[in-house]
Amino acid sequence: MNPKISLAIGILCISFSPIFVKLAGVPPLPATFYRILIAWLCLLPYVIAKQKLKIGFNELMIAIAGGVVFGVDLAIWNVSLMTISATISTLLGNLAPVWVGLFSYLLFRKKAGALFWMGTLLAVAGMVVLVGFRDVLALKFSNGVLLAILSSVLYAVYILMTKGILQKMDTLTFMFYNMLGASICMLLVCLFNHDRMSGYAASGWMYIIAMGLVCQLTGWITINNALRHLESTKVSIALLSQTVFAGILATILLNERLGLNEIIGSVIVLAGIALTFLRPKKSNKIVI
């Protein structure tokens, strides 16, 4: 598939994720478990048939540990969707690149350029507008906002944990073990939390299956395919359009409406995140 078309399909698929979660009417933790499990079960016969199960021990541990972090991250984001709008939750969840840059600097002393810090400050300013200046000064944040931000931090941890592994192994092999770890983790969390795992309405199961097939399986396979052929920076910036699509879908399907401060704040945050991806052009001047 053309990588640009693959990327467009992937973005559209994952944009439906917050919509399906809200429409399903299913507890967020079981919804997370079934979403990942369904995608994993669909991938199982393929990796067996194509003999893609072989993996080194270190890579296996990273893939499974990454899956645990991904599962918890997705679960927390799903919980946040229960209390705030799909658009705001998706937007805050996309703050991960900012945290990746900050963690890389603090933990690994990896230098970040001026554009990154400008983008970070712009994204923080956008969050202040989004949440409300007075609430920020009083440190009053809704649980949904805090959970969405925590989700973005966990996704940044996931990126840092797994960023080098795809260069060493097949994408589908990684996804198989990654989703296996996430599924087992979420099953244990659901059992510990005594969540209701069955007895949902037919429409609820329909949206859960859609989450697994459309958002998890198709969405991330097509995005990973695009990453193999396109510059990661361009893909990362393009993925920000997920927030726009999710907002449009939420307006049409969920009848959600954003206030003026939320719209302005969202635009500022998106601009800030996009700026963190940019790199200054290298000078081509010839010194004589």
Side-chain angles (χ1 to χ4, degrees), residues 87-88 91 122-131 258-272:
T87 306
I88 301 304
L91 174 71
L122 192 59
V124 171
M127 285 179 58
V128 172
V129 175
L130 187 68
V131 176
L258 297 180
L260 181 60
N261 67 308
E262 292 176 322
I263 294 173
I264 295 174
S266 298
V267 171
I268 296 174
V269 171
L270 283 173

Side-chain angles (χ1 to χ4, degrees), residues 56-105:
F57 179 77
N58 290 337
E59 288 78 13
L60 174 64
M61 291 297 99
I62 293 173
I64 291 178
V68 171
V69 175
F70 177 80
V72 174
D73 158 43
L74 188 58
I76 290 174
W77 181 64
N78 282 351
V79 173
S80 80
L81 281 166
M82 299 295 104
T83 57
I84 59 176
S85 73
T87 306
I88 301 304
S89 182
T90 304
L91 174 71
L92 295 176
N94 274 283
L95 285 170
V98 174
W99 305 124
V100 169
L102 287 173
F103 291 157
S104 297
Y105 174 75

Side-chain angles (χ1 to χ4, degrees), residues 139-171:
L139 297 178
K140 292 182 180 179
F141 301 97
S142 71
N143 289 336
V145 168
L146 290 175
L147 288 172
I149 294 174
L150 176 58
S151 171
S152 70
V153 173
L154 286 174
Y155 191 61
V157 173
Y158 170 78
I159 292 172
L160 290 171
M161 287 176 64
T162 62
K163 64 178 181 177
I165 195 171
L166 283 173
Q167 299 173 354
K168 302 177 181 178
M169 60 187 298
D170 181 80
T171 300

Side-chain angles (χ1 to χ4, degrees), residues 29-31 33 185-195 197:
L29 299 185
F33 165 68
C185 171
M186 286 314 304
L187 176 60
L188 294 175
V189 170
C190 289
L191 293 176
F192 178 80
N193 201 48
H194 302 290
D195 284 301
M197 305 297 290

Side-chain angles (χ1 to χ4, degrees), residues 216-249:
Q216 187 69 27
L217 189 65
T218 306
W220 286 107
I221 285 179
T222 50
I223 289 171
N224 284 330
N225 175 65
L227 279 168
R228 295 174 71 89
H229 302 284
L230 302 174
E231 291 182 28
S232 59
T233 301
K234 292 181 178 179
V235 173
S236 299
I237 294 176
L239 282 172
L240 295 180
S241 63
Q242 172 199 358
T243 303
V244 178
F245 286 125
I248 294 172
L249 291 169

Side-chain angles (χ1 to χ4, degrees), residues 29-45:
L29 299 185
T32 304
F33 165 68
Y34 284 120
R35 163 181 169 161
I36 299 171
L37 179 67
I38 289 169
W40 182 80
L41 289 174
C42 291
L43 200 57
L44 177 61

